Amino acid sequence: MKPSERIFVALDLTDVAEARALARRLSGQVGGFKLGLEFFAANGPDAVRAIVEMGVNVFLDLKFHDIPNTVAGAVRAASATGASILNVHASGGGAMMRAAANAAAEGADLHNVAKPIVAAVTVLTSMDEDDLVAVGQKPPPQDQVLRLARLTKDSGLDGVVCSPEESADVRAACGNDFVRIVPGIRPSWSATNDQKRFTTPKQALADGATHLVIGRPITKADDPVEAVFRIVGELEAE
């Protein structure tokens, strides 16, 4: 896989036309696009299909977290959009994740689409040690991420969403074929915004990321295409 194909651009927008226009500009330059809660809440599954039907890969980032039966139904329904990647929260537990894994396969068969990758969110990149303590989890974040990554693999999911700081350890613990989707990516020339655990795209790949989720450094750039070229150039540099 080429470095550019590992990039998923986060289209954190509410306007479908704007999202489609940006996806059209960047199509072929990146591996795909992430659509999250903001987009989905404003527009629903038909808008997700409108992006998928452009012939691009979509990471539908809805982070399902509920009882196993409810999550299974949600994953089964989300599979109908044709998204390439779906996700759940690993903290929902093994039974919930097993239900999600089974539902993804069932949904793909039911809707005659390719089975999506199902990944589990470990610890949000906006959280640090103090945040974990505040919600009753034991720090440091790296230990919690590894605990949840092992549970995710044992539950039959394809990989995890983790910060750049943990991707190398997750690779070592769960194997090279285990997907590691890494948000919190900030080129050295961009603002960090609300991320607390982040790194540059090149360092993230070196540390074991399989997919890079990059949003504002691209979508808020004066020229998003030029921003992608700049990031890909850094990834390909020796």
Side-chain angles (χ1 to χ4, degrees):
M1 188 184 297
K2 297 188 296 186
S4 61
E5 295 172 343
R6 299 185 183 277
I7 298 172
F8 274 66
V9 178
L11 300 179
D12 295 324
L13 307 165
T14 56
D15 185 271
V16 179
E18 185 181 358
R20 282 176 58 87
L22 188 52
R24 190 175 296 110
R25 288 184 68 188
L26 298 176
S27 179
Q29 309 301 323
V30 297
F33 301 91
K34 181 184 81 72
L35 301 175
L37 285 168
E38 185 176 5
F39 182 89
F40 192 83
N43 303 294
D46 286 344
V48 177
R49 292 188 188 93
I51 304 297
V52 172
E53 288 168 359
M54 296 175 66
V56 299
N57 293 318
V58 167
F59 169 19
L60 185 54
D61 178 24
L62 300 181
K63 303 181 180 72
F64 296 129
H65 188 175
D66 212 307
I67 63 173
N69 189 60
T70 298
V71 167
V75 168
R76 201 176 292 114
S79 297
T81 65
S84 303
I85 305 174
L86 304 175
N87 63 357
V88 302
H89 264 291
S91 55
M96 188 203 79
M97 288 192 282
R98 288 190 292 274
N102 292 333
E106 293 166 1
D109 287 342
L110 178 64
H111 301 292
N112 195 30
V113 296
K115 178 185 171 297
I117 291 170
V118 184
V121 177
T122 52
V123 176
L124 297 172
T125 53
S126 60
M127 300 181 75
D128 59 16
E129 291 197 12
D130 291 340
D131 296 313
L132 285 183
V133 171
V135 297
Q137 295 183 3
K138 185 178 179 181
Q142 289 86 347
D143 290 352
Q144 179 71 355
V145 168
L146 282 178
R147 186 180 303 116
L148 292 174
R150 292 187 178 101
L151 177 61
T152 298
K153 184 174 183 180
D154 290 344
S155 301
L157 293 193
D158 302 296
V160 293
V161 181
C162 62
S163 93
E165 295 180 5
E166 297 100 30
S167 57
D169 289 340
V170 170
R171 177 175 58 185
C174 298
N176 201 50
D177 292 338
F178 193 65
V179 171
R180 299 169 298 281
I181 302 170
V182 176
I185 302 298
R186 291 291 182 268
S188 58
W189 38 267
S190 71
T192 60
N193 301 111
D194 56 357
Q195 304 290 354
K196 294 181 179 178
R197 289 157 40 244
F198 61 90
T199 193
T200 64
K202 190 173 183 66
Q203 188 61 51
L205 282 190
D207 288 342
T210 59
H211 300 70
L212 307 176
V213 177
I214 308 176
R216 282 168 284 194
I218 294 172
T219 60
K220 299 301 183 183
D222 292 337
D223 184 341
V225 175
E226 177 59 31
V228 168
F229 287 163
R230 188 173 179 183
I231 292 169
V232 171
E234 292 176 3
L235 292 176
E236 294 177 343
E238 294 296 331

